[in-house]
Amino acid sequence: MGFFANVKIRTKLVVLVVVLGGMLLWTSIYAAYLVNDIDGEYQRIYRDDAAAASVDAATGMHFNESRAVLLRAFLEQDPSARQQSLQRMQELDKQVDADFVVLEPKAITTEGKATIQKLKDEIAAYRTMRNEVLQRSQAGTIDWDSFYKAQQQGK
């Protein structure tokens, strides 16, 4: 403290202003860096979230169309039209799988990853049941008259 006791007040004030100015300058530069970094992260999250939302919507549309095509195949009387519907259903299944390949890396949180895995498991279970019904329908063990009546009552 002896050093500052012998220095004039003018010198003390100049040193104080220079030190405070340097701290203010460093703080301003660091704050600008943080704002830029936060903005970049926000833009990345926003971009990925928007992309994930659009892929999610497309996946849902493909899955719903696949279900509609399956129903159309069941209701078709013409075997060739039924076969075309089943081929379209398989194409849509491949598209749903491709959508999940795009969607999975966009899940960042463990909750998001768990939700995607749950959806994949539910779709796999649906496809297993659907294949069993298709096998039974091709084997002729489904009562189509009852199925058609149930469809008409459901409308």
Side-chain angles (χ1 to χ4, degrees), residues 103-115:
L103 190 60
E104 277 183 301
K106 296 188 182 308
I108 298 170
T109 64
T110 55
E111 179 183 343
K113 291 176 182 178
T115 301

Side-chain angles (χ1 to χ4, degrees), residues 77-107:
Q77 300 294 332
D78 181 26
S80 65
R82 179 181 232 201
Q83 189 60 34
Q84 287 177 343
S85 293
L86 292 176
Q87 287 174 348
R88 175 69 181 144
M89 181 190 67
Q90 290 173 350
E91 293 170 8
L92 289 166
D93 285 349
K94 290 176 185 176
Q95 185 62 48
V96 168
D97 293 339
D99 290 342
F100 270 113
V101 168
V102 172
L103 190 60
E104 277 183 301
K106 296 188 182 308

Side-chain angles (χ1 to χ4, degrees), residues 10-76:
R10 176 181 60 200
T11 308
K12 290 179 186 178
L13 288 174
V14 168
V15 169
L16 176 66
V17 168
V18 168
V19 169
L20 286 177
M23 289 174 60
L24 183 62
L25 180 64
W26 181 83
T27 303
S28 298
I29 291 171
Y30 186 66
Y33 167 76
L34 284 180
V35 166
N36 190 33
D37 190 44
I38 290 169
D39 182 56
E41 186 66 19
Y42 173 76
Q43 292 297 328
R44 185 188 66 78
I45 289 172
Y46 183 75
R47 180 190 66 237
D48 289 350
D49 188 45
S54 66
V55 172
D56 182 45
T59 304
M61 289 185 331
H62 292 137
F63 180 70
N64 285 334
E65 185 180 353
S66 172
R67 292 174 55 208
V69 168
L70 174 67
L71 180 59
R72 191 177 317 123
F74 282 143
L75 297 176
E76 286 290 345

